[in-house]
Amino acid sequence: MLHSIVEIMTPFLLAALGGLFTEKAGVLNIALEGLMLIGAFSAAAVAGTGGGLLPGTLSAVAVSGAVAYIYAHAALRLKANIFIAALAVNLLAIGGTQIAAHLIFGTKGVIEFEAFPSQPSVSLPLLQHIPLLGEFFTEHSLFVYAGFVLVPAFAWLLNSTPFGMYVKAAGLNSTALFARGISEQRTKVLAITISGITCGLAGASLAFNLGAYVPNITSGRGWIALVAIFLGYKRPYGIFIVAFLFAAAELIAQHAQGIVGAPSSLLLAFPFFITFIGMILFSALHSSLFKTTKK
Amino acid sequence: MHDTRPASTFFSIGIAITAALLVMIIALPLLSESPVKTLSAFLMGPFRNLFYFGNFLNRVGLYMIAGLAMVVAFQGGMFNLGGEGQVYAGALGTTMFLLSVPELYGPLGVTGAVIVAACTGGLISGLSGFLKMKWGTDELISSFLLSSSLVYTINYLVSGPLRNSKSYLLSTPEISYQFRLPQLLPPSHLNLSLLTALLLVGLAYKYLFHTSGGYELRMTGLNREFARYGGMPVERYYFIPMALSGALYGLAGGLYVLGTSFATLQGSTSGMGWNGIAIALIGRIHPLLLLPAAFIFTYLDFGAENAMIYADFTFEFGAVLQALVLFFVTARFSGFMRKKGGKNAALDS
C-alpha cells in the first residue's frame, strides 16, 4: 500500500517542488502540465530507442528546462502575459508531442518500444528495516529518492541561501531586489527554468514507470502539482504531505474502481474533481482561520 | 482600456497572424505527401464552394461567442480557464432538456434550451467566481479543474448512459426537428446562430461600454483598488464577469447543438474554449474588434482542418494553431498583466 503511494506521489512531488520556486518568485506557473508532458516524451523517445535511462532522463531535463527557459524569456522580456504564454506551452506540448511522435515513430498513439530499459529498484540498506516507514525506502526507482532528497534540499535552498532570498524577494518585494542590484527578471527566469527541470524529471519518471509513451501521459498531473503547492502552504515539507495525500486518494480510487466497477473513462475525471474539492476546502479553511479576505 | 497607440497594436497583431500563417504554410506541406494540394486546401479552405463557405461562416459565429465569453472575463479582470467544460456542458444541457420535452412547441423549446445552456455554463463558471469572492480561491485554477472533470464526466455520459444505442457514433440521440434552427445556406451548416452571435456582440458592447454595470465591471477589471475607492461594489465583480463568461460559453455549446450537430457528440465542441481565449486576445479584448478577430482565427483554423484531409495523418492541429497564435499575439501584447500582488488581472495599457 505505502509502497504504491510513494511511487504514485513522485511525479506530483517533483513537479510541485519546481513549481514552488516560481510560486515564491511571484509567478503562477500553469505550464507545469505541458513541461511534464514534453519531458515524458523526450525521456521515452531517447530511452526507448536504445539511449538508456540516464541519457533519457538527461534529455527530458534538458528539453523541458529549455522550453521553460524560452517561455519565461518570451513572457518576461517581451512583457507578454505570462499566463497566455504558459497556456501556449501547454497547447504546444499536446500538438508538438503528437507531431514529433508521428515524425519519429510514425504513430500518434501509444508507442511501445521493443527493448525499453527497465529501471533499477533500489532499497536503502538500514532505513528499509524501520517499522511502518520502511516501505518508503524499499525497492523504489531512483526518482523516488530524488524526490526525497529534493524536499530538504529545496527547503534549504529557499530558506538558507542568498539565491532563495532573491527568489522570495522577486515575489514579495522586487524593489528590495533592485536595491541589491539583482535583476528581478533574471531571477524569475531562473525560477521558471528550475520548474522546467523538475518537470522533466517528473515526466521521465512517468515514462519509465510505464516503459512506453502514451499520449497525454500526464493527464492533469501538472495541474494537480500546481494545486499541491498552495495546499502545501508553499513549503517543501507541506508539498510532500499533500502529494502523499493525493497519491493515497488516487490509489483508493483505483481500488474502488475494481470493487464498485466504476467505468475507467469516468475515473479520468476523479483527480481533477478531488483536487478541485481539496482546493475549495483549503481556501475556505484558510480564510476562516486567518480572517484575511484575499483581495 | 483603449490602447494609446492603436497603430502599433494592430501592427503587432498583424505580425502575430502572419507568423502563425507562415508556420502553418511551412509545416503543413512537410507533414503531407502532396504539399501543393495541402497548401491550397489550407489557403482556399473556406472559399472552395458555397458549402465550405457556409460551414466557415457558421464556425465564425460560434467562435465569436466563445471569444466574447473571454472578452467579458478579461474586461472584468478575471481569467476563465474552464471554457472547454462550459461549452461542453452547455451543449449537453441543451440536448438533455430538448430530449426530455420532445413534443414541445418549437420556439418555446428553443427559448428554454438557450436559457438552459446559458444557465449551465453560467453556474459552472460562476461557481469559480463565487469561490474567489468568498474565499479567495484562485479562479484560474479552479475553473480549469472543474472544467476538466466535467469534460471527462460528459465524455463518459455520452459514450455510456446517455448514448444513442442505435447510432455507431459516441453521441446522444438527436433532438426533434421543430427545435432545429433555420438553415440559411443548405446544405451547409450555416444557421441562425451566426446572427445570434452578432446580436450577442452588440449586446455585450452595449453592456460593457454604455451601462453603469459595464462601466463598473471594466473599472474593477482595470484596477480593483481604484474602483473600491470610487465606491464601487467591487466584490460582486469577482462573480459577475465569470458568470457572464460561462453563460456565453454555455450558449456557444447550446447553439452548436441547436443549429449544427443536433446532438452532443463526444469531443465535438473540443477546442472551443481555448479558441475563445485566442480570439479574444486577437480582438484586443474589445467586443467590436472581435468581429475581424473571429474571421481571421476561424480562417486559419478552418483552413488547417481542411489541409489535414490531404495530409497523411491528422494531428491536433487545433492545439498547435492555438499555441502559435497565443505565443505570437502575447509576445507584444503588453496590454494587460495579471498583477500578482493584487491577485487580480489588472488591465492597463
Side-chain angles (χ1 to χ4, degrees), chain B:
Chain B
M1 72 116 251
H2 292 285
D3 197 283
T4 45
R5 299 162 294 123
S8 72
T9 314
F10 285 110
F11 183 64
S12 71
I13 286 176
I15 290 179
I17 303 295
T18 316
L21 192 67
L22 277 179
V23 174
M24 291 309 253
I25 287 179
I26 295 166
L28 282 170
L30 282 179
L31 294 166
S32 89
E33 314 232 293
S34 47
V36 180
K37 267 188 183 168
T38 308
L39 203 57
S40 85
F42 174 55
L43 293 173
M44 298 304 297
F47 308 114
R48 269 197 290 175
N49 54 40
L50 270 181
F51 174 72
Y52 280 87
F53 191 64
N55 285 347
F56 166 71
L57 285 183
N58 185 41
R59 196 179 288 186
V60 169
L62 292 168
Y63 281 7
M64 208 180 279
I65 303 174
L68 200 57
M70 284 317 292
V71 166
V72 175
F74 281 146
Q75 286 282 5
M78 302 296 279
F79 223 118
N80 178 7
L81 221 52
E84 289 289 315
Q86 290 150 21
V87 175
Y88 210 8
L92 187 70
T94 297
T95 314
M96 292 328 289
F97 169 71
L98 291 177
L99 287 177
S100 67
V101 288
E103 303 295 334
L104 199 66
Y105 173 58
L108 204 62
V110 170
T111 314
V114 165
I115 294 170
V116 168
C119 288
T120 312
L123 282 175
I124 296 166
S125 176
L127 176 62
S128 292
F130 175 78
L131 291 170
K132 171 85 173 182
M133 180 174 81
K134 190 97 171 115
W135 294 317
T137 318
D138 195 302
E139 87 282 0
L140 189 150
I141 305 177
S142 77
S143 62
F144 177 83
L145 291 174
L146 185 56
S147 151
S148 299
S149 60
L150 281 173
V151 167
Y152 288 117
T153 310
I154 297 175
N155 274 345
Y156 159 71
L157 289 174
V158 170
S159 61
L162 302 179
R163 185 177 172 189
N164 177 13
S165 48
K166 295 185 193 100
S167 166
Y168 61 92
L169 292 169
L170 295 174
S171 157
T172 61
E174 293 201 342
I175 59 174
S176 306
Y177 283 93
Q178 76 269 25
F179 301 133
R180 300 181 182 186
L181 292 179
Q183 302 291 313
L184 301 179
L185 198 68
S188 82
H189 289 306
L190 185 63
N191 62 71
L192 221 53
S193 60
L194 175 66
L195 301 179
T196 318
L198 296 175
L199 182 73
L200 285 172
V201 167
L203 283 176
Y205 176 73
K206 191 82 186 148
Y207 167 70
L208 285 173
F209 293 97
H210 294 283
T211 67
S212 58
Y215 176 76
E216 288 183 349
L217 184 142
R218 285 187 296 120
M219 285 308 122
T220 315
L222 273 170
N223 189 329
R224 207 167 285 272
E225 291 313 309
F226 178 77
R228 198 192 307 278
Y229 276 116
M232 290 179 194
V234 292
E235 287 301 304
R236 71 173 69 146
Y237 288 103
Y238 288 114
F239 175 73
I240 292 173
M242 285 300 277
L244 284 177
S245 171
L248 285 165
Y249 266 133
L251 266 180
L255 287 169
Y256 179 73
V257 170
L258 286 170
T260 308
S261 68
F262 311 127
T264 306
L265 280 77
Q266 181 170 330
S268 57
T269 59
S270 130
M272 236 195 258
W274 303 129
N275 289 339
I277 298 177
I279 292 166
L281 291 175
I282 297 173
R284 297 286 292 150
I285 59 174
H286 190 287
L288 298 183
L289 292 179
L290 211 56
L291 299 173
F295 269 94
I296 293 168
F297 185 85
T298 313
Y299 171 73
L300 295 172
D301 178 71
F302 194 85
E305 191 183 277
N306 265 307
M308 279 302 105
I309 298 167
Y310 294 102
D312 53 348
F313 84 118
T314 56
F315 66 98
E316 289 269 353
F317 72 89
V320 177
L321 178 67
Q322 287 152 2
L324 288 174
V325 169
L326 290 181
F327 251 136
F328 290 123
V329 166
T330 200
R332 306 282 176 93
F333 194 88
S334 53
F336 70 103
M337 291 287 278
R338 214 172 103 123
K339 287 194 177 137
K340 196 58 197 173
K343 281 278 180 193
N344 60 52
L347 304 157
D348 51 6
S349 47

Side-chain angles (χ1 to χ4, degrees), chain A residues 254-278:
Chain A
Q254 281 173 16
H255 280 285
Q257 185 208 6
I259 298 163
V260 186
S264 60
S265 57
L266 190 59
L267 212 69
L268 287 167
F270 184 77
F272 292 105
F273 190 70
I274 195 84
T275 315
F276 178 66
I277 299 293

